[in-house]
Amino acid sequence: MSLRGPRALSTSLLAFAGLFLGLIAARGQLAQTPPDNLNMRYANGIVAIAEDHIITVDDIRREIGPLVPEIQKQSRSEKEFNEKLEALQEDVVQNLIDRVLIIKDFHSDEKRQVPASYVDNAVSETIITQFDGDRSKYLAYLRSRGISQKDYRKEQEDVFRIA
């Protein structure tokens, strides 16, 4: 595993935590103020680098976002919420790093290949279940993420390698 300094990772995590917690704390205020895209200002900020793969703030935000409401329900105080959110952030960063390392290990053996039909089926299933079978919605989603169909297929292939 190659990270560019544990201290740099800690600093990045702290900066991310502050940014994310500030956004959550201001959530009620953001609804009243005009959108200024500040919440996306640091979306491509680097949190970690594992085996030449960059993990950004947006990657962490994407993983944590769906879990925040549950943490809010479980927390009895702001302090408890902040502690749980910080622990979750650390877990997500470690999981993303582990995912990169597992995929790298999979690639190291040329005998191991994910059949193209598996990836085709996964993409088709995604279009059916997440986009109601509407390919144009799927393509709009890819555009919103700034990735191509080839990039998405690679992501799906990586999912099979991790599983």
Side-chain angles (χ1 to χ4, degrees):
M1 173 165 88
S2 94
L3 292 176
R4 293 200 178 147
R7 186 178 188 130
L9 175 61
S10 296
T11 304
S12 295
L13 279 173
L14 290 174
F16 171 73
L19 175 67
F20 196 76
L21 291 174
L23 289 173
I24 290 172
R27 189 178 73 195
Q29 297 168 359
L30 289 177
Q32 299 167 356
T33 59
D36 56 5
N37 294 329
L38 287 177
N39 60 339
M40 294 303 291
R41 186 174 179 182
Y42 300 106
N44 289 324
I46 296 173
V47 175
I49 299 175
E51 299 295 336
D52 298 327
H53 180 82
I54 297 172
I55 298 171
T56 65
V57 170
D58 195 45
D59 295 332
I60 308 301
R61 192 179 286 150
R62 196 175 308 124
E63 297 284 326
I64 290 176
L67 304 173
V68 170
E70 186 62 31
I71 292 174
Q72 286 176 324
K73 286 180 195 174
Q74 294 173 355
S75 302
R76 289 183 279 248
S77 67
E78 186 176 340
K79 181 182 178 193
E80 183 180 355
F81 171 76
N82 292 338
E83 289 169 356
K84 287 182 178 187
L85 184 62
E86 189 173 324
L88 178 62
Q89 290 169 352
E90 290 175 15
D91 287 345
V92 166
V93 170
Q94 190 59 53
N95 288 340
L96 290 173
I97 290 169
D98 291 346
R99 190 179 303 169
V100 169
L101 296 175
I102 290 168
I103 291 169
K104 182 179 188 260
D105 182 54
F106 186 91
H107 281 298
S108 67
D109 185 359
E110 288 116 25
K111 294 177 185 175
R112 293 185 272 190
Q113 296 292 323
V114 175
S117 62
Y118 285 24
V119 179
D120 292 340
N121 290 339
V123 170
S124 296
E125 185 69 25
T126 298
I127 292 170
I128 291 167
T129 60
Q130 294 182 11
F131 303 102
D132 300 322
D134 188 344
R135 189 165 178 79
S136 62
K137 287 180 184 178
Y138 163 73
L139 295 173
Y141 166 73
L142 296 180
R143 278 192 303 276
S144 74
R145 286 190 54 203
I147 63 172
S148 67
Q149 289 183 55
K150 183 178 179 180
D151 294 334
Y152 187 76
R153 285 184 56 80
K154 184 177 180 327
E155 285 180 5
Q156 293 303 307
E157 188 175 328
D158 290 345
V159 167
F160 283 107
R161 290 182 178 135
I162 294 171

